[in-house]
Amino acid sequence: MPEIEIKLTHPDPGVLMAAFRDPAIAAGSTEQTIRMRSEYYDTADEILFAARCGLRFRAENERGVVTLKTQSAPSDASGLSVRGEFEVEATSLSEALPKICALAPAYADLLRKAAPNLQLTAAVTFTRIERHAVFGETEIAFSVDTGIFNHDPAKPFAEFEAELKRGSAETMIAICADLAKTYGLVPLADSKLKRALACRSR
């Protein structure tokens, strides 16, 4: 299943939390907190990023996950993005890459070309507060992420995210549009990786 999500933001993280706890999405769901540390890998000349791919190792609490994300088109005006997502539980890139190549054969040659020269290019450390809400046949994971880019407290971020788990993308778009109108949230087009790369110290 592709990753289908909407990212929204506001200058005040408290407003994001207010939207997250809006009764329209909070009723009947339970919050959970996940500590996340994401490391992104690419070659020095960033051949993966140039191909609109991101290779990520993420520690989610005590669980390691390696993910290849691919994107053929930018996010739309609502903040909706649709990406390919190929993910395996693993403790290292070397363990995960053969499995990722098998899951994503269209990108296998690119990954094999990059593999000998992969290096850490960006890092994102954050805390995610998440809830899953069900609307008829549609399940959506709502979250607020707050953290920093590249281990630098001077580069904080906060974002509201809705990710479709099953059902109707139109339902998710409508709910997020209502939240955006109520709380003054604005679409956030760029991924964490793109923002982390943009704010690296040179």
Side-chain angles (χ1 to χ4, degrees):
M1 179 178 176
E3 178 191 64
I4 303 173
E5 67 178 16
I6 292 174
K7 289 181 182 289
L8 302 169
T9 192
H10 189 279
D12 182 355
V15 174
L16 299 179
M17 286 304 304
F20 176 76
R21 290 177 173 146
D22 186 280
I25 65 173
S29 61
T30 303
E31 296 180 17
Q32 63 171 326
T33 299
I34 309 169
R35 300 181 308 279
M36 294 196 176
R37 185 187 75 254
S38 295
E39 298 174 343
Y40 295 90
Y41 291 85
D42 206 337
T43 61
D45 55 355
E46 297 183 350
I47 64 170
L48 297 181
F49 189 69
R52 302 186 68 83
C53 295
L55 182 61
R56 181 186 73 199
F57 174 82
R58 173 177 284 174
E60 301 178 357
N61 288 339
E62 305 305 322
R63 173 175 173 256
V65 180
V66 175
T67 306
L68 175 71
K69 291 195 178 188
T70 66
Q71 187 172 21
S72 59
S75 302
D76 69 15
S78 71
L80 180 74
S81 69
V82 180
R83 300 184 179 94
E85 185 176 61
F86 308 93
E87 187 168 274
V88 298
E89 190 166 339
T91 58
S92 67
L93 285 181
S94 59
E95 176 190 349
L97 279 176
K99 300 174 184 178
I100 296 287
C101 288
L103 289 173
Y107 297 90
D109 287 344
L110 177 65
L111 289 171
R112 293 188 186 105
K113 180 180 179 182
N117 301 303
L118 288 173
Q119 61 185 41
L120 181 67
T121 57
V124 184
T125 306
F126 60 100
T127 298
R128 168 169 290 176
I129 300 176
E130 183 179 82
R131 69 168 78 250
H132 285 232
V134 177
F135 308 87
E137 299 299 315
T138 299
E139 180 183 358
I140 304 168
F142 294 98
S143 61
V144 172
D145 296 346
T146 54
I148 58 174
F149 293 122
N150 303 318
H151 310 295
D152 187 347
K155 297 172 181 175
F157 73 91
E159 65 189 43
F160 176 98
E161 183 176 296
E163 181 177 353
L164 185 67
K165 294 300 182 181
R166 59 180 169 87
S168 167
E170 289 74 18
T171 297
M172 184 174 74
I173 291 169
I175 291 168
C176 288
D178 285 344
L179 291 171
K181 182 178 180 180
T182 300
Y183 294 95
L185 311 183
V186 297
L188 182 58
D190 292 339
S191 67
K192 289 183 178 71
L193 171 57
K194 187 172 182 179
R195 285 176 282 150
L197 290 173
C199 70
R200 286 177 298 183
S201 298
R202 296 292 185 178

